Amino acid sequence: MQQLPGQAPLVGGSDRREFLKLGAAMAAVPLAAMASSASAASRPAGDITGWSAVQLSQAIHARNVSCVEVMTAYLTQIDKLNPKVNALVSLQGREGLLAQAEERDTQLGSAIKAGSRVGWMHGFPQAPKDLTNTAGIVTTQGSPILKNNVPKADSIIVERMRKSGAVLVGKSNTPEFGLGSHTYNTVFGTTLNAWNPTKSAGGSSGGAAVALALNMLPVADGSDMMGSLRNPAAWNNIFGFRPSFGRVPFGPTSEVFVQQLGYEGPMGRTVADVAMLLSVQAGYDARTPLSIDQDPAMFAKPLAKDLKGARIGWLGDFNGYLPTEAGVMDTCTQALKHFETVGCKVEAVQPDFPVETLWNTWLTMRGFIIAGVAGGLYADPKLRAMMKPEAVWEVENGLKLSGADVFRASVSRSAWYQALNALFQRFDYLVLPSAQIFPFDAKLDWPKSINGKPMDTYHRWMEVVVGGTLAGLPVLNVPAGFGANGLPMGLQIMGRAQADLAVLQVGHAYDQASGYASRRSPLLG
């Protein structure tokens, strides 16, 4: 759940000028870090859409491939595979996209002659998540209420991706208002899993995850309130990173202090790709006063790090508190050996906190926020009738709360953060599964039970991701391999507050050791 009507006012005046000044500086930072390698790079082997985003950017900047070639290759891949999985929606016209790609080639040539640079994403086809505003491109949020909504201004992350040279080819599909980790809606239909098209893609960044897994995008943005960057990444064998709160400014919005549960971040097929996209997305913005004022260029540096002796605390299923489908815990515990391969020490541990209280804390905080941002729609009976039942339930849950209820939940949330902070005095990272079940039948609305235990809400089956959200810590999903059913699973790597780079570094080392992410979807042939 991210943006709703009334949450994205137009950008103008001095704030707009300040952002453009910052964006111009940011656009050159990642490229400067890789300029020497780009000039010497040769064209990578294989099909363009199979290159990593780092390779793609280097090849474009070295003029080993044109932006028109890149766009043509990706549009061909989209034409071939998107009809099978419905990951990308609101696709733009081919002729116009190729014209924009040609403009990028001209811009690059002019920049080289002038001795200047263009952004890291120059010529990249991109499809922002359909929750985030895109000027001139319909943003439905998966709701029939907004099926004709065309924003007049971009969200901050879209502004930054455009400034870095991206060309928007469409949007990535999402469940209605981003509610639930199963990407289906009445506007565009259901997005199907990249590994088994009869299964759920997860969500709410399900369209983005599937598009990445099937090489329809080089990198993708997503957003995460309840695992929406983590669960779909786990179920499609890619990487999704929920950054520290404030790392990627969320907005523009009409409320900038309270909405601290859901925000945006990067997804990719390699950790290096994720880090490079984060270097574009991150950085302070005056319109969001709680955004982190640190140089995003840190994420454009090499991720290699000596992890010998690094301490990892394995939270698992919280000593059996969380029900899990058969095979999930076996798959995840087998994957832990790859941390040991790179020199880490893994130890089972539990926080000094009653984990069962987290759920009620979550329901209160989530209901409070959703009632705030969606309450206007609910108040209109005609619009309420167009909202899916889960959205109505969320608003009604929030409307029952008192101010005292919300404050008590915030105190509980704070105690949870302090419990994890205490663990970080002993451990460098905390790890747990990214999901409690493998991808389920795409025809279902949501799983009603796990291993015989009934689920009492539409999202109870996603409870494993709540801890990372409430703590506001950086959390990276990394592939954990495949179950006996052939379906993907993932691990969450959680780091200290604002230790985003450290989390990406350990994720990179784990990826190099495990090799899980190099496995290709059967749909790729």
Side-chain angles (χ1 to χ4, degrees), residues 44-338:
D47 183 78
I48 291 171
T49 62
W51 300 348
S52 73
V54 169
Q55 289 175 319
L56 179 64
S57 185
Q58 289 174 344
I60 289 173
H61 286 90
R63 306 192 82 177
N64 289 316
V65 65
S66 71
C67 296
V68 170
E69 284 182 88
V70 171
M71 182 60 69
T72 300
Y74 273 97
L75 293 180
T76 299
Q77 188 78 345
I78 291 169
D79 288 344
K80 176 183 177 183
L81 292 178
N82 196 55
K84 299 180 181 180
V85 292
N86 193 36
L88 301 180
V89 297
S90 301
L91 290 167
Q92 303 299 288
R94 187 183 188 94
E95 184 177 340
L97 293 173
L98 290 173
Q100 291 184 65
E102 188 172 1
E103 289 175 2
R104 295 296 189 276
D105 283 324
T106 300
Q107 291 166 359
L108 178 58
S110 298
I112 291 173
K113 289 179 181 178
S116 59
R117 299 200 178 279
V118 294
W120 179 71
M121 301 181 76
H122 193 81
F124 275 30
Q126 284 296 279
K129 186 174 177 180
D130 201 23
L131 292 184
T132 200
N133 282 347
T134 45
I137 300 177
V138 65
T139 300
T140 75
Q141 298 186 43
S143 170
I145 298 172
L146 301 174
K147 65 180 180 180
N148 297 316
N149 173 49
V150 181
K152 295 181 180 179
D154 289 328
S155 66
I156 292 173
I157 61 164
V158 173
E159 285 179 349
R160 292 183 172 185
M161 289 190 294
R162 286 202 208 248
K163 192 69 179 179
S164 189
V167 177
L168 305 193
V169 301
K171 304 297 286 284
S172 62
N173 202 20
T174 183
E176 185 176 342
F177 300 135
L179 297 175
S181 192
H182 181 24
T183 301
Y184 71 97
N185 58 64
T186 59
V187 182
F188 298 113
T190 303
T191 296
L192 304 175
N193 190 281
W195 291 81
N196 183 334
T198 70
K199 304 295 184 181
S200 169
S204 60
S205 307
V210 172
L212 280 170
L214 296 181
N215 295 352
M216 291 189 282
L217 295 174
V219 284
D221 66 275
S223 53
D224 186 313
M225 178 182 269
M226 194 175 181
S228 295
L229 282 160
R230 294 165 278 166
N231 173 260
W235 282 5
N236 290 281
N237 200 47
I238 62 161
F239 299 90
F241 185 50
R242 177 187 166 94
S244 293
F245 169 72
R247 179 68 66 191
V248 176
F250 171 61
T253 65
S254 59
E255 193 288 307
V256 296
F257 292 105
V258 172
Q259 295 183 69
Q260 299 179 23
L261 292 184
Y263 42 88
E264 295 156 321
M267 306 177 82
R269 295 194 293 266
T270 73
V271 181
D273 289 353
V274 168
M276 288 301 298
L277 180 54
L278 185 60
S279 75
V280 173
Q281 296 176 334
Y284 178 75
D285 187 286
R287 293 166 291 179
T288 58
L290 301 182
S291 56
I292 297 173
D293 190 7
Q294 293 178 351
D295 188 354
M298 71 174 84
F299 302 111
K301 297 177 181 178
L303 295 175
K305 180 181 180 180
D306 183 1
L307 291 164
K308 185 176 182 180
R311 301 159 299 171
I312 290 182
W314 168 238
L315 299 177
D317 58 4
F318 295 111
N319 278 343
Y321 166 75
L322 294 174
T324 58
E325 182 180 349
V328 168
M329 292 303 293
D330 288 343
T331 301
C332 290
T333 54
Q334 282 293 314
L336 295 177
K337 66 184 179 182
H338 300 296

Side-chain angles (χ1 to χ4, degrees), residues 224-225 230 242-246 260-263 315 318 351 353 358 361-362 365 409-410 412-424 430 432 464-475 492 494-499:
D224 186 313
M225 178 182 269
R230 294 165 278 166
R242 177 187 166 94
S244 293
F245 169 72
Q260 299 179 23
L261 292 184
Y263 42 88
L315 299 177
F318 295 111
F353 186 90
L358 273 182
T361 300
W362 171 253
M365 298 300 296
S410 187
S412 179
R413 179 187 183 187
S414 301
W416 167 246
Y417 170 82
Q418 298 299 349
L420 293 185
N421 191 47
L423 283 184
F424 281 122
L430 300 174
L432 67 167
V464 70
V465 300
V466 165
T469 293
L470 288 175
L473 300 175
V475 191
Q492 299 178 73
M494 188 185 306
R496 296 180 177 92
Q498 299 193 25

Side-chain angles (χ1 to χ4, degrees), residues 283-448:
Y284 178 75
D285 187 286
R287 293 166 291 179
T288 58
L290 301 182
S291 56
I292 297 173
D293 190 7
Q294 293 178 351
D295 188 354
M298 71 174 84
F299 302 111
K301 297 177 181 178
L303 295 175
K305 180 181 180 180
D306 183 1
L307 291 164
K308 185 176 182 180
R311 301 159 299 171
I312 290 182
W314 168 238
L315 299 177
D317 58 4
F318 295 111
N319 278 343
Y321 166 75
L322 294 174
T324 58
E325 182 180 349
V328 168
M329 292 303 293
D330 288 343
T331 301
C332 290
T333 54
Q334 282 293 314
L336 295 177
K337 66 184 179 182
H338 300 296
F339 291 109
E340 296 173 342
T341 298
V342 300
C344 300
K345 297 179 180 179
V346 181
E347 177 185 341
V349 68
Q350 292 299 304
D352 184 15
F353 186 90
V355 183
E356 60 275 9
T357 67
L358 273 182
W359 185 249
N360 287 332
T361 300
W362 171 253
L363 289 180
T364 298
M365 298 300 296
R366 181 177 170 99
F368 163 62
I369 290 174
I370 294 178
V373 299
L377 298 181
Y378 176 89
D380 184 328
K382 292 182 179 179
L383 298 182
R384 185 191 315 160
M386 300 172 69
M387 297 169 67
K388 71 177 184 178
E390 293 82 0
V392 172
W393 178 85
E394 289 278 15
V395 173
E396 292 179 345
N397 183 50
L399 292 177
K400 297 173 185 176
L401 299 170
S402 68
D405 292 332
V406 176
F407 186 80
R408 281 192 295 269
S410 187
V411 170
S412 179
R413 179 187 183 187
S414 301
W416 167 246
Y417 170 82
Q418 298 299 349
L420 293 185
N421 191 47
L423 283 184
F424 281 122
Q425 308 310 306
R426 298 168 48 201
F427 297 94
D428 300 297
Y429 309 94
L430 300 174
V431 175
L432 67 167
S434 291
Q436 293 166 239
I437 60 175
F438 291 102
F440 58 86
D441 189 334
K443 295 179 182 178
L444 295 177
D445 50 359
W446 48 275
K448 303 303 188 294

